[in-house]
Each structure stands twice: as C-alpha cells, then as structure tokens.
Amino acid sequence: MSLLDEVDRKAMALGIPLNAQLDITWRCNERCVHCYLDHEGAGEMTTAEIKDAIRQMHESGTFFLSVSGGEPLLRRDCFEILEYARSLRMSVKLKTNATMIGPKEAARIRELGIGEVQISLYSHEDEVHDTITKLPGSLRRTIEGIRNLTANDVKVSISNVLMTHNAGHGLAVKQLADELGVIFHIDPTITPKLDGDRSILSLNISENQLEQAYHTEEFVGNVGEFCAPASSADTDYLDNYSCSAGHTYVYISPTGEVWPCVQFPMKCGSLREQKFGEIWRNSPAFTELRSVHLRDMPTCSQCNHASYCSRCPGLAYVEGDLRGPSSKDCRDSFVRTGIPVSIQTGTTSRVAQGAYGLVQIAAATGAGA
C-alpha cells in the first residue's frame, strides 16, 4: 500500500474531507457542446468568502484542493485565491482550458508551487477542437498555454473527453501530448447538465467506439476515472462504498453550496448559512449518503460486476435513485470486460446481453430504477 493509499484509508476511517474541488466560477470563455454547467455568474462568492471557505476546509482536514470552473482565470482574484490556499500548505491543482495562460501567468503558477494543471484538449485538429469549444482559435491558444507551462516546469495533464465529434482522435491527441511532454488521459464520460437536461447524452460515443477505446493498447492505464472508489481490502466488498464522494471528497460550488461531488448535485448545505465543518459532520444528506453500502443497493449488490464496477452514485442520483444503478456505469462495466451483466434474483439468475441490461432487469424486478 502506497503512502497516499494509507492516508486516504485513514481519512476514510476518521471521516476527514481529504480532497475537495472548489469551483470559483461557472463563467467560461468557451461554450463546449458537452458542458454540464450553466455558465451564469450570478451569486458567486466574494474573494473573502472563498478564502474563508478554503480556511474552513483546511481546518476540517482538507489537504488536496482542485480549483476549477468554468474558467477560473476569468476571476481577477484567481491567483490571490491560489496563493491563499498555498499559504495554508495545501496541495493545489488548477483546472483550466489554458487559453488565458501566457508566459506571465505560467511563471506565477510555477512560483506558487501549483502541483498540477489539468487541461481538456479535444482534438489535434483546429476545426474539431474549436467546433467543440465554440471558441475560434482555442486549440492554438490552449497549446500555447501548455507550452508556457511546460517551459516553466509545471506539471501538466491533458484530458481528452471522447464524444461523437472526436471519437477517432484519441491516438492523435496522445501523440500530441507526448510531443508536448505532458500526461495524457482519455475520458469517455458525458454527463447530464446540472439542471437535469439529458440532451447532451446524445454526444456519447457508441458502444463499439467505447469498447475500442478501452482496449486500445496505447490507452491502457490512461482511461481517466472521475473519482476514486471508497473501498477497503480489509472488509467484504458488499460493506464498501462505490465512491469517495461525501466520504473523503467534497465539492463547493461558486455560490457556496456543498455537494458530495460536482457530478452529484445533492445539496448538503450552504457555506452562506452554516460552517463547513457543521455541514460535513451533521448534514442529513451526507448522513444518508454515508449509510448506503453496496449491500444496501437492491440491484447492484446482486450483480456479477459488483466487486469491480465503477458505479457513480452521483449519476445514479441524477437518474432518480441513490441506491440504484447508473446506466452509464452498467454500460462501461460491460464494455470493459465483455462479460454480460447477470443479476441474481431469488433462486434465478437473469443475464443481460447488452450494456443497459442491468437497468432493464432492475425495472422488471422492482429493484432500483
């Protein structure tokens, strides 16, 4: 077990919010076709409120902080916020599209000791990338930003989100990442908008394209997972949780709302109404979430993929059932393994030959939705 694994295990046992994502704005200079945010800037926390939120999280045990958006550099106080988090000796990552990172900004990021800058890059072709971002020249500007960062020895990682627009561009983007000297991940995840709009799910790549991505040799070990599973080798897997959200991971919105994760829009409290520690320890929503183990999920606990499925409780929640399956993860599990989903119901076993079979069986048996 690595040191980070041991730290995470202890944080889980002690109920410490070790990891946090703080979105300081949802405004953005891009309008990506697959984005789940609304890009409105109304009600954003002030600089003082954001610093106070960081202080409160730090006092509760948060060490790893991702500062994100929208595009965080649209806020004039972005570097002030980053500097404050670093003054508390927090390990800070910055998520940005890099279009606003010139030589001066890159040098400042290096001076602050930002641990990593995470950037989405959708294609090696201007036309495709810029069509996705709806910002002419964005690929050129993003690559310039990456070069400015690497010239300052800043660690950079590229996330290539796969969708219908760029399904066949993964290998070329990886080659570009190699040429730039940065880390590469593919991410085959398109999620519903935070307002519940599911229309953008039509951008998901096909099952055949997803299978190809999972089994491309160059991508092995580079398929990004949004969050880490909250599990322990010391317990029966049915006693584990499927995700760290709400256990060692927390999300803060630009308006101060506290959620388990950015993909898990279950409001647990507001920093404008309560202190972070009170919300983290006493929120009824967090209490309910933490009470749900794998064995408490009527459908998932009976599935033959249960011990290794990367089920996202946030996506299941958006689909309507915190204790139910996530159709996206049912699909991914089937495609990754090639093993049909089998659900044990009483004395019989039903086998689903397709990626969404688990959800269909759940509906038929009344176990989840």
Side-chain angles (χ1 to χ4, degrees), residues 261-337:
C261 172
V262 68
Q263 284 189 172
F264 201 155
M266 178 172 70
K267 183 178 177 179
C268 299
S270 170
L271 295 180
R272 286 173 164 163
E273 299 172 1
Q274 292 177 277
K275 297 296 185 181
F276 174 78
E278 295 172 359
I279 297 170
W280 179 257
R281 291 188 300 271
N282 303 320
S283 164
F286 273 138
T287 299
E288 179 185 9
L289 171 61
R290 293 166 188 159
S291 72
V292 181
H293 298 77
L294 180 56
R295 69 172 64 257
D296 302 315
M297 303 173 196
T299 300
C300 295
S301 63
Q302 303 301 315
C303 177
N304 60 326
H305 289 244
S307 62
Y308 52 81
C309 178
S310 58
R311 173 188 178 272
C312 172
L315 294 181
Y317 176 80
V318 170
E319 290 187 26
D321 188 354
L322 179 61
R323 292 169 173 78
S326 153
S327 60
K328 179 265 180 188
D329 293 306
C330 295
R331 178 192 191 214
D332 283 5
S333 188
F334 173 78
V335 171
R336 277 201 309 268
T337 65

Side-chain angles (χ1 to χ4, degrees), residues 23-327:
D23 281 1
I24 60 177
T25 184
W26 280 347
R27 291 175 288 130
C28 192
N29 57 341
E30 296 181 336
R31 287 294 183 272
C32 296
V33 296
H34 63 292
C35 187
Y36 50 82
L37 300 177
D38 60 17
H39 299 304
E40 293 296 326
E44 288 180 357
M45 289 188 287
T46 65
T47 306
E49 285 179 312
I50 290 176
K51 286 183 177 180
D52 191 49
I54 293 172
R55 178 190 60 79
Q56 291 181 49
M57 286 189 287
H58 174 260
E59 291 176 352
S60 294
T62 301
F63 178 69
F64 298 103
L65 178 68
S66 293
V67 176
S68 184
E71 174 45 57
L73 289 172
L74 283 178
R75 284 192 62 134
R76 294 181 179 181
D77 58 359
C78 180
F79 284 105
E80 183 180 347
I81 291 167
L82 294 173
E83 181 177 15
Y84 179 72
R86 290 293 294 136
S87 74
L88 297 177
R89 300 293 188 269
M90 299 177 84
S91 176
V92 179
K93 292 182 181 180
L94 176 65
K95 296 183 178 182
T96 171
N97 58 40
T99 59
M100 300 174 68
I101 297 180
K104 180 181 177 181
E105 289 77 17
R108 183 65 176 137
I109 288 170
R110 180 202 62 209
E111 292 167 2
L112 288 173
I114 301 302
E116 183 176 340
V117 178
Q118 299 177 330
I119 300 165
S120 293
L121 199 151
Y122 304 108
S123 175
H124 60 299
E125 296 180 358
D126 294 82
E127 181 179 357
V128 175
H129 179 93
D130 295 358
T131 296
I132 291 172
T133 65
K134 298 183 181 180
L135 178 65
S138 58
L139 176 60
R140 172 185 56 79
R141 292 169 59 184
T142 292
I143 291 177
E144 287 177 359
I146 292 171
R147 293 190 188 280
N148 288 328
L149 290 165
T150 56
N152 282 273
D153 297 320
V154 175
K155 181 181 178 182
V156 176
S157 64
I158 284 175
S159 177
N160 179 216
V161 181
L162 297 181
M163 63 192 87
T164 53
H165 293 63
N166 65 347
H169 290 209
L171 286 174
V173 175
K174 184 181 186 304
Q175 182 179 351
L176 176 58
D178 292 341
E179 293 170 359
L180 292 169
V182 301
I183 300 166
F184 169 82
H185 298 287
I186 61 166
D187 181 1
T189 304
I190 305 294
T191 61
K193 292 185 178 183
L194 294 182
D195 63 5
D197 182 355
R198 301 177 63 82
S199 62
I200 58 175
L201 297 183
S202 64
L203 297 173
N204 270 307
I205 58 177
S206 69
E207 192 169 302
N208 288 337
Q209 291 168 328
L210 182 62
E211 183 176 9
Q212 182 177 1
Y214 275 126
H215 296 92
T216 296
E217 183 177 354
E218 291 84 352
F219 295 161
V220 173
N222 292 315
V223 180
E225 296 291 347
F226 191 84
C227 59
S231 59
S232 169
D234 299 331
T235 61
D236 186 317
Y237 73 89
L238 289 174
D239 290 320
N240 291 330
Y241 309 101
S242 60
C243 176
S244 59
H247 298 278
T248 61
Y249 186 95
V250 68
Y251 168 77
I252 310 295
S253 81
T255 59
E257 288 194 356
V258 181
W259 302 350
C261 172
V262 68
Q263 284 189 172
F264 201 155
M266 178 172 70
K267 183 178 177 179
C268 299
S270 170
L271 295 180
R272 286 173 164 163
E273 299 172 1
Q274 292 177 277
K275 297 296 185 181
F276 174 78
E278 295 172 359
I279 297 170
W280 179 257
R281 291 188 300 271
N282 303 320
S283 164
F286 273 138
T287 299
E288 179 185 9
L289 171 61
R290 293 166 188 159
S291 72
V292 181
H293 298 77
L294 180 56
R295 69 172 64 257
D296 302 315
M297 303 173 196
T299 300
C300 295
S301 63
Q302 303 301 315
C303 177
N304 60 326
H305 289 244
S307 62
Y308 52 81
C309 178
S310 58
R311 173 188 178 272
C312 172
L315 294 181
Y317 176 80
V318 170
E319 290 187 26
D321 188 354
L322 179 61
R323 292 169 173 78
S326 153
S327 60

Side-chain angles (χ1 to χ4, degrees), residues 346-368:
T347 59
T348 64
S349 178
R350 302 189 183 185
V351 177
Q353 298 298 332
Y356 293 92
L358 185 143
V359 178
Q360 294 165 359
I361 290 177
T365 60

